[in-house]
Amino acid sequence: MTHIVGFGGYVPERVMTNDEWALLVDTTDEWITQRTGIKRRRIAAPDESTLTLAGNAARMAIKDSGLTPDDIDEIIVATDTPEMYTPDTAALLQDLLGCRNVPTYDLGGSGCAGFVQALDVARARIAFSPRTMLVVGVELITRMLDWSDRSTAVLFGDAAGAVVLGPDPGRARVLEVVSGTDGSAAGILTLAAGGTRNPFNRQTLESGEYNRLVMDGRRVFTEAVARMSQAVSDVLDRIGKTIDDVSLVIPHQANLRIIDAVRKKLQVGEDKVFVNVHEYGNTGSATVPFALWQCVEAGRVSEGDLVILTAFGAGFHWAAAAVQF
Ligand code: UT7
């Protein structure tokens, strides 16, 4: 059995409001609020990077677990905005934290589903052979976006969240995780430049493709609602529980309307669904672990609570986890 023994979360200090976006692109606070629920987001400082955000959340999670960096046996970093192309952010994080020469790897490209998928991988690794794992979800997405594209830029923010997992009883147990992918829907959310199909070069720079996030917003919306609600039902079926047994659902924070639609499909009250999208926007792989940390910190979850995490992201990926506090 996999237990969560420590939680951590970090957001940069700088707050950027919708009104500030309205000074940069043709948008309004009203449009952003009505379509997404987002009011503000955090923007990393110039001297911050994906690694420093991850490091801040990871240190908190390790401290919270009562362990030291020396106790970590394996590290996974879920991110679509890595510190550099190669090596992986997880290797750099191992060094930053002063961990031993333990295996590390990034789970990249899964968009916002990355952390919950990483949780699935981690629990399988721990079941295979007991070990202490650090799993981080981090995104410094605002530095990678096209700031002149109002249809995507206003949606995102920077953050990091982390958990320490282990085989011995801790604050919460990961009971079950379900995840899935529909690769035929890969085209609905892509940043296609930078790979071998279309490498970074003068042409991708001049055409602006190098940071162009292409998104079919309505299709992503529809898929997100269908896949997240199905994933929640599936994970509950697997553990023989119903939505009535759930104390709190922590969904990926992309859009308040998506969260509301999932909530209605699951027939669950507003008080049972955690929302922070108005404060932080969509922080990709960081939304779920950061929100989880916030819930723990704020006493929003307590012993005995069944908490469901769920996310979707580019791929098209989805996942849901059942966590028993
Ligand atoms: O983690 C995954 C990340 N992505 C998502 O989760 C995206 C999911 N989809 C969504 O959240 C919504 O589809 C959006 C918020 C992206 C868009 O909301 P929508 O209600 O689906 O709007 P729309 O795409 O139908 O666009 C409506 C209009 C368009 O203008 P026209 O063509 O109707 O004249 C857009 O050009 O709104 C325009 N628009 C904007 N207007 C003001 C797009 N972005 C903006 C903006 N400010 N920032």
Side-chain angles (χ1 to χ4, degrees), residues 209-220:
E209 285 166 273
Y210 74 97
N211 67 350
R212 187 174 300 144
L213 188 64
V214 177
M215 182 173 76
D216 179 344
R218 289 188 178 182
R219 181 82 197 281
V220 173

Side-chain angles (χ1 to χ4, degrees), residues 175 236 239 241 245-248 304-308 322-324:
L175 299 179
L236 286 171
I239 59 169
K241 300 278 183 190
D245 300 312
V246 174
S247 306
L248 190 67
D305 284 354
L306 176 61
V307 176
I308 304 293
V323 178
Q324 179 73 60

